[in-house]
């Protein structure tokens, strides 16, 4: 366990909030996000490869950009999965911990011409490298990366297409800078809309992992987990029936169904949840 403070810290640019992990309560992220096991395996192995293997001497034959993309529908657990993977890698390989940094993507785009470009450059070429100089391995999470690396053939509503293009170009230059100049950082980006990301950004990603909507079998596991802390009288067969009705919903939406039952029905909160209760809100 790291001796570092677990309080969140901000970089001087205001784009990064970071913690040293493992940290209290973050252990729950990895087991609580229920996705196919091969997805968890690939994500953990990629972080290990990026932080433990030095390809700097042979980067022409096997270029490692140390940038990965995790994409899928909203509510599928992309960001939480990355946080959990970072914690697991820290516990397995880094007894003094690693830095987990989250990018505030909403602070970077600007209506002022050229400001989005400057902010993006500052993030990738100044803020992250300055954090890296602390000497610890770093996992950087960039949520909603399509706001930084927008497809230059498309423009976001209300944004100048020239500014969008320049900001995207700045993100590409910044990623190249990180690959060439910083060896202790891996960047993991998420997106709900992979089609909005510029092709050149995706091309720089070593891996692209899609988090699918849960199958009926996984929905049943999520429901069972969500019902652990409340009273219920559902059998495995009941859960299987309800789960088939919920196919197409995200894991987050499925967990909210239990809350919805508790606040919708007239019974006391400690009265057991029934199959009929779940089917009413499903």
């Amino acid at each position: 366990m790291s001796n570092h403070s677990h309080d969140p810290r901000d970089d001087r640019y205001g784009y990064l909030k970071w913690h040293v992990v493992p940290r209290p309560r973050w252990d729950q992220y990895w087991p609580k996000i229920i996705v196919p096991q091969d997805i968890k395996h690939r994500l953990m192995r990629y972080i290990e490869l990026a932080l433990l293997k030095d390809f700097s001497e042979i980067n022409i034959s096997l270029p490692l950009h140390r940038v990965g993309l995790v994409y899928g529908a909203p509510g599928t657990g992309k960001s939480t999965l990355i946080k959990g993977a970072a914690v697991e890698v820290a516990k397995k390989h880094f007894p003094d911990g690693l830095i987990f940094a989250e990018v505030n993507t909403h602070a970077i785009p600007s209506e002022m011409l050229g400001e989005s470009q400057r902010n993006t450059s500052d993030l990738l070429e100044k803020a992250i490298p300055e954090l890296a100089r602390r000497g610890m391995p770093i996992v950087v999470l960039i949520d909603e990366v399509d706001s930084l690396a927008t497809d230059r053939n498309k423009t976001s509503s209300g944004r100048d297409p020239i500014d969008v293009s320049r900001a995207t170009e700045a993100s590409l230059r910044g990623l190249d800078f990180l690959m060439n100049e910083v060896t202790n950082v891996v960047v993991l980006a998420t997106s709900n809309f992979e089609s909005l990301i510029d092709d050149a950004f995706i091309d720089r990603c070593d891996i692209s992992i899609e988090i699918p909507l849960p199958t009926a079998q996984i929905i049943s596991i999520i429901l069972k987990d969500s019902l652990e802390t409340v009273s219920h009288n559902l059998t495995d067969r009941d859960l299987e029936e309800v789960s088939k009705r919920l196919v197409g919903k995200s894991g987050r939406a499925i967990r909210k169904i239990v809350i919805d039952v508790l606040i919708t029905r007239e019974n006391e909160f400690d009265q057991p949840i029934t199959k009929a209760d779940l089917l009413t809100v499903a």
Side-chain angles (χ1 to χ4, degrees):
M1 178 67 70
S2 168
N3 291 323
H4 296 271
S5 168
H6 293 296
D7 293 333
R9 314 177 206 183
D10 296 298
D11 70 296
R12 63 191 181 97
Y13 301 93
Y15 305 142
L16 291 173
K17 183 178 293 291
W18 59 276
H19 314 262
V20 175
V21 298
R23 67 190 305 259
R25 294 191 297 178
W26 280 36
D27 281 349
Q28 65 181 311
Y29 291 142
W30 192 244
K32 290 296 183 182
I33 293 297
I34 302 166
V35 297
Q37 197 58 39
D38 65 302
I39 289 177
K40 287 189 169 184
H41 176 78
R42 287 188 69 210
L43 182 60
M44 258 199 77
R45 290 286 288 168
Y46 176 66
I47 296 174
E48 290 172 334
L49 178 70
L51 293 180
L52 295 170
K53 186 70 174 175
D54 182 9
F55 285 107
S56 59
E57 298 299 321
I58 54 171
N59 62 5
I60 294 176
S61 57
L62 186 59
L64 189 71
H65 288 82
R66 294 187 301 279
V67 180
L69 175 66
V70 180
Y71 67 96
T76 47
K78 301 179 290 294
S79 302
T80 305
L81 189 65
I82 292 170
K83 288 180 182 178
V87 171
E88 294 302 303
V89 170
K91 290 193 296 187
K92 184 177 178 181
H93 297 287
F94 302 107
D96 292 327
L98 62 77
I99 291 175
F100 184 84
E102 297 181 71
V103 175
N104 181 4
T105 51
H106 300 293
I108 293 175
S110 171
E111 294 181 1
M112 295 179 62
L113 187 62
E115 190 70 15
S116 298
Q117 176 186 2
R118 283 190 291 273
N119 291 344
T120 302
S121 295
D122 283 348
L123 167 70
L124 296 171
E125 298 182 37
K126 294 180 181 179
I128 293 175
E130 285 178 14
L131 190 57
R133 283 198 283 273
R134 293 176 174 268
M136 297 181 71
I138 302 174
V139 176
V140 177
L141 168 63
I142 304 180
D143 257 333
E144 301 178 22
V145 73
D146 36 280
S147 65
L148 297 187
T150 307
D151 189 335
R152 284 166 287 185
N153 296 315
K154 303 170 185 175
T155 56
S156 300
S157 175
R159 293 181 65 189
D160 186 298
I162 295 176
D163 204 38
V164 169
S165 180
R166 287 175 176 171
T168 296
E169 289 163 4
S171 72
L172 300 176
R173 286 195 306 272
L175 290 176
D176 291 341
F177 177 86
L178 284 176
M179 182 187 74
N180 293 319
E181 303 297 331
V182 184
T183 60
N184 58 328
V185 172
V186 58
V187 175
L188 291 165
T190 74
S191 178
N192 299 331
F193 308 103
E194 187 204 14
S195 62
L196 297 181
I197 304 174
D198 195 85
D199 287 343
F201 180 93
I202 293 177
D203 186 59
R204 282 165 170 78
C205 293
D206 301 314
I207 58 165
S208 292
I209 298 177
E210 181 178 12
I211 310 297
L213 289 168
T215 62
Q217 182 179 10
I218 290 180
I219 289 171
S220 181
I221 297 171
I222 295 171
L223 272 177
K224 186 178 292 187
D225 183 69
S226 301
L227 289 163
E228 274 187 358
T229 56
V230 299
S231 176
H232 71 87
N233 59 16
L234 286 96
T235 65
D236 287 344
R237 191 163 187 171
D238 292 335
L239 288 172
E240 182 180 339
E241 181 181 340
V242 174
S243 296
K244 290 177 180 177
R245 290 271 296 270
L246 296 174
V247 170
K249 293 186 179 294
S250 71
R252 181 190 298 153
I254 293 159
R255 291 186 185 276
K256 287 181 179 179
I257 284 172
V258 176
I259 298 173
D260 202 9
V261 166
L262 292 173
I263 64 175
T264 299
R265 65 180 189 169
E266 298 299 326
N267 301 25
E268 295 295 327
F269 291 136
D270 57 357
Q271 290 298 305
I273 290 176
T274 67
K275 179 178 74 171
D277 289 331
L278 289 176
L279 291 174
T280 298
V281 299

